[in-house]
């Protein structure tokens, strides 16, 4: 459970010519299920395969072929639902959504309109500065993806690649609880993070494995609160849906553009028409794609080829028992156990592999110091070479040793940076390196005292100045550190300099 408390962030307000407007946003996120095979066939889901090589007869819509449900996809949807603290429906059913599309040879998409496998859940979306929005999930249903039409390979022809046809998608539908462009991106980011922790979707937006339909409307200040109190949608403005967004940046730009477009219409005395729109990133505008279609336009009906999907509570309980520690819980624990700031804990838990690395470094050591070293030194260094944590040449055991050496006072922070660089580029055991290269910090007061005396004796003019202005003592500390090759204990040097100068 979350031990941190947050305030709700303010909604985004756009000033119109006559009054202020607030944004209301609801997202339908399509997440490709991470499984080896498709939702209703044994064909592979491997990305980047030769076109039309991952196609079973059922995916190609061959007559007489029957879909067979993939238990792995169902388990992943349940797992995702549990990760979003959602209600799991033990009874769900598949419907046909009829439409013609060249890359959907069946002539219909199998989806779950009336009885989705997952019901209501929630996601905490942190916005920084101690604020977070709780976004309600309305439902998650399982459905088939379509294939891909390729229009740019030949001037006269279009090609169809059915590799993606029939791959399982989870459609995660939010309530209209998102109140600004940044929140929308943060919400998608949080879903992505949770699903990557769960291993249910790889979250690769570039490949289209995670994409969102973004519903946007605007209302007057106070209207959203009326909706919240009554759940009556008539308090909200008419929405438009922007289809198929697979970039966090474009999601934000499209929302901003769309809200301003709607405000201009409303302030002009017009009415927003509910419709589906497309975002054009080159022009930064949304364009009408088609008028809003209703469920009856698709002549949805229960798929007669598939029995209702019945799962057992014991099976759901087994999946629940196998869930990993999720981002919110991990973050709270890092704050509580290691004394980390909210920000550092967020950075370290963004990816589960980063969190695991950090924990190994911090175990039995100073957590804050470990966090500094992982975030500033290690991540900074890896980023320079565009490497992920998996490619780190420094193991958590090695970095842990470096942190331990600093805490014990064996090496100074400055020497530790040199040591880190040696371990990063050459490898080796940090303790042995410190030993063999004589990098140990000098804590022996006799040796430090001699260095302090030498600096004072060699700089009489500076001594006079420092006596008049004690702030100049820092100069002596710097000289002594230089003379000892950075190996003197700075605290001991400081103390001795102050004493010897009589400050
Ligand atoms: P449909 O099935 O017709 O697309 P839904 O009721 O399922 O409609 O809603 C689709 C999405 O639109 C949901 O994410 C929902 O939160 C969002 N939504 C509904 N009304 C509004 C509104 N007035 N403003 C913004 N988003 C909305
Ligand atoms: Mg919809």
């Amino acid at each position: 459970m979350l031990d941190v408390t947050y305030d709700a962030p303010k909604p985004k307000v756009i000033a119109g010519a006559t009054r202020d407007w607030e944004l209301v946003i609801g997202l339908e996120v399509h997440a490709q299920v991470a499984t080896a095979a498709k939702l209703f066939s044994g064909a592979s889901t491997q990305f980047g395969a030769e076109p039309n090589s991952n196609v079973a007869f059922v995916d190609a819509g061959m007559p007489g072929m029957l879909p067979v449900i993939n238990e792995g996809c169902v388990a992943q949807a349940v797992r995702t639902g549990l990760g979003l603290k959602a209600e799991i429906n033990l009874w769900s059913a598949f419907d046909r959504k009829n439409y013609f599309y060249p890359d959907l040879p069946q002539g219909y998409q199998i989806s779950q309109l009336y009885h989705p496998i997952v019901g209501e859940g929630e996601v905490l979306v942190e916005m920084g500065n101690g604020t977070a929005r709780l976004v309600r999930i309305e439902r998650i249903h399982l459905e088939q993806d379509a294939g891909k039409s390729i229009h740019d390979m030949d001037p006269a022809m279009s090609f169809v690649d059915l590799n993606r046809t029939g791959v399982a998608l989870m459609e995660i539908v939010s309530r209209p609880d998102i109140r600004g462009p940044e929140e929308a991106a943060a919400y998608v980011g949080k879903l992505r993070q949770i699903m990557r922790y769960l291993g249910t979707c790889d979250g690769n937006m570039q490949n289209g494995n995670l994409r969102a339909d973004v519903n946007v409307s605007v209302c007057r200040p106070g209207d959203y609160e009326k909706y919240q109190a009554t759940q009556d949608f008539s308090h909200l403005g008419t929405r438009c849906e922007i289809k198929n967004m697979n970039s966090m940046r474009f999601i934000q730009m499209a929302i901003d553009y769309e809200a301003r477009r709607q405000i201009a219409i409303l302030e002009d005395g017009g009415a927003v028409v509910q419709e589906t729109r497309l975002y054009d990133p080159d022009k930064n505008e949304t364009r009408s794609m088609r008028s809003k279609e209703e469920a009856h336009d698709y002549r949805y009906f229960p798929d007669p080829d598939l029995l209702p999907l019945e799962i057992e509570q014991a099976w759901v309980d087994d999946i629940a028992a196998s869930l990993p520690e999720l981002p919110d819980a991990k973050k709270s624990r890092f704050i509580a156990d290691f004394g980390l700031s909210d920000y550092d804990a967020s950075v370290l838990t963004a990816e589960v592999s980063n969190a695991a690395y950090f924990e190994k470094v911090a175990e039995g050591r100073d957590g804050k110091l470990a966090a500094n070293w992982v975030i500033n030194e290690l991540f900074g260094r890896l980023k320079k070479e565009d490497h992920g944590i998996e490619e780190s040449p420094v193991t958590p055991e090695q970095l842990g040793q470096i942190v331990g050496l600093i805490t014990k006072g064996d090496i100074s922070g400055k020497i530790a940076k040199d040591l880190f660089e040696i371990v990063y580029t050459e490898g080796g055991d940090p303790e042995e390196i410190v030993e063999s290269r004589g990098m140990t910090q000098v804590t022996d007061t006799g040796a430090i005292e001699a260095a302090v005396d030498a600096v004072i004796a060699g700089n009489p003019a500076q001594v006079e100045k420092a006596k008049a202005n004690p702030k100049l003592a820092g100069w002596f500390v710097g000289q002594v550190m230089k003379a000892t090759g950075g190996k003197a204990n700075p605290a001991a040097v400081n103390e001795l300099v102050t004493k010897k100068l009589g400050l």
Side-chain angles (χ1 to χ4, degrees):
M1 239 7 269
L2 206 66
D3 299 327
V4 195
T5 50
Y6 294 98
D7 293 329
K10 295 227 170 359
K12 164 119 181 182
V13 175
I14 297 180
T18 53
R19 58 161 111 89
D20 284 348
W21 297 88
E22 284 182 7
L23 273 60
V24 176
I25 301 154
L27 261 58
E28 298 159 273
V29 169
H30 294 267
Q32 183 178 317
V33 177
T35 45
K38 296 183 179 181
L39 183 52
F40 298 114
S41 85
S44 166
T45 58
Q46 193 210 331
F47 183 81
E50 189 66 17
N52 297 307
S53 58
N54 294 340
V55 189
F57 286 129
V58 65
D59 307 320
M62 293 294 161
M65 293 299 120
L66 288 173
V68 177
I69 188 130
N70 178 348
E71 182 181 326
C73 296
V74 179
Q76 291 290 58
V78 169
R79 204 171 158 76
T80 304
L82 292 169
L84 301 179
K85 302 189 193 112
E87 175 194 333
I88 306 298
N89 295 323
L90 298 181
W91 195 98
S92 66
F94 289 97
D95 307 297
R96 285 187 183 181
K97 181 181 185 183
N98 298 279
Y99 58 100
F100 172 79
Y101 219 67
D103 49 33
L104 185 76
Q106 279 171 167
Y108 54 85
Q109 176 192 31
I110 305 178
S111 182
Q112 297 188 304
L113 177 67
Y114 302 106
H115 302 285
I117 180 151
V118 178
E120 293 187 2
E122 64 183 38
V123 182
L124 187 81
V125 183
E126 289 117 312
M127 296 307 299
N129 310 321
T131 64
R133 174 93 58 202
L134 198 62
V135 175
R136 293 169 300 161
I137 302 290
E138 184 185 317
R139 55 190 276 153
I140 305 175
H141 57 259
L142 273 169
E143 63 183 27
Q144 299 175 298
D145 205 348
K148 203 165 85 182
S149 297
I150 301 154
H151 305 295
D152 55 5
M153 270 176 68
D154 187 285
M157 283 187 285
S158 284
F159 295 90
V160 174
D161 177 5
L162 297 182
N163 282 352
R164 217 176 53 193
T165 307
V167 167
L169 296 179
M170 297 177 279
E171 179 168 335
I172 306 169
V173 183
S174 85
R175 299 275 181 199
D177 289 349
I178 299 161
R179 307 301 314 279
E182 296 79 18
E183 275 182 38
Y187 166 77
V188 175
K190 188 63 181 278
L191 284 184
R192 180 177 182 277
Q193 183 193 27
I194 292 171
M195 289 190 288
R196 281 174 60 82
Y197 266 64
L198 292 167
T200 55
C201 171
D202 70 12
N204 188 330
M205 296 186 78
Q206 232 162 342
N207 293 353
N209 296 353
L210 186 68
R211 46 196 202 261
D213 298 343
V214 182
N215 295 270
V216 181
S217 68
V218 295
C219 66
R220 284 164 300 194
D223 285 350
Y224 186 80
E225 287 67 27
K226 289 183 198 155
Y227 156 72
Q228 278 269 298
T230 58
Q231 295 301 304
D232 177 353
F233 280 84
S234 69
H235 293 294
L236 299 180
T238 302
R239 73 183 192 270
C240 285
E241 177 177 1
I242 313 162
K243 274 276 174 209
N244 248 330
M245 307 285 304
N246 69 342
S247 139
M248 300 283 198
R249 198 162 70 86
F250 293 159
I251 287 175
Q252 297 180 64
M253 288 168 69
I255 292 171
D256 197 69
Y257 173 87
E258 179 58 22
R260 288 173 198 279
R261 186 188 72 86
Q262 293 179 13
I263 290 168
I265 293 172
L266 294 168
E267 296 211 326
D268 216 30
V272 174
V273 180
Q274 192 176 337
E275 62 183 359
T276 303
R277 300 179 70 86
L278 270 189
Y279 177 69
D280 178 345
D282 295 328
K283 297 198 175 131
N284 184 31
E285 61 180 31
T286 63
R287 278 199 300 272
S288 179
M289 180 181 163
R290 55 171 187 249
S291 66
K292 172 72 191 162
E293 71 288 349
E294 302 291 340
H296 63 251
D297 294 325
Y298 291 109
R299 205 171 66 89
Y300 273 98
F301 63 87
D303 192 309
D305 287 343
L306 287 158
L307 288 168
L309 178 60
E310 289 186 61
I311 56 178
E312 281 166 14
Q313 187 59 47
W315 188 65
V316 175
D317 293 342
D318 279 350
I319 296 174
S322 78
L323 290 196
E325 181 182 36
L326 289 170
D328 290 344
K330 203 182 276 296
K331 184 177 155 183
S332 291
R333 184 168 62 77
F334 279 12
I335 292 172
D337 290 4
F338 298 111
L340 302 189
S341 67
D342 192 275
Y343 178 80
D344 284 354
S346 291
V347 172
L348 291 169
T349 54
E351 293 284 346
V352 76
S353 48
N354 290 348
Y357 187 105
F358 164 74
E359 276 205 84
K360 283 197 200 129
V361 176
E363 203 188 323
R365 303 202 174 90
D366 178 343
K368 270 191 188 162
L369 189 63
N372 279 342
W373 274 82
V374 171
I375 296 172
N376 299 324
E377 303 304 323
L378 181 68
F379 288 176
R381 190 70 171 79
L382 289 170
K383 204 170 169 191
K384 257 194 214 159
E385 284 162 38
D386 212 14
H387 282 162
I389 194 99
E390 293 79 8
E391 298 154 300
S392 171
V394 179
T395 65
E397 290 72 24
Q398 286 170 316
L399 189 54
Q401 268 194 35
I402 296 176
V403 170
L405 285 165
I406 303 171
T407 312
K408 269 194 287 172
D410 284 0
I411 55 174
S412 65
K414 190 191 161 298
I415 292 286
K417 288 189 187 185
D418 297 341
L419 175 61
F420 175 79
E421 190 56 29
I422 294 169
V423 176
Y424 193 98
T425 49
E426 301 169 24
D429 181 275
E431 279 165 18
E432 269 171 39
I433 295 170
V434 166
E435 194 73 22
S436 66
R437 304 199 190 184
M439 298 167 88
T440 327
Q441 176 162 258
V442 181
T443 39
D444 163 17
T445 10
I448 298 176
E449 199 166 350
V452 173
D453 286 343
V455 174
I456 288 180
N459 298 282
Q462 282 294 114
V463 172
E464 286 317 306
K465 281 192 209 163
K467 283 190 170 154
N469 179 7
K471 275 191 197 147
L472 297 178
W475 182 84
F476 287 88
V477 176
Q479 293 299 308
V480 174
M481 293 305 288
K482 216 188 222 170
T484 55
K487 286 189 281 181
N489 181 322
V493 176
N494 211 3
E495 201 183 307
L496 276 166
V497 164
T498 316
K499 198 174 98 192
K500 299 236 166 197
L501 289 174
L503 303 174

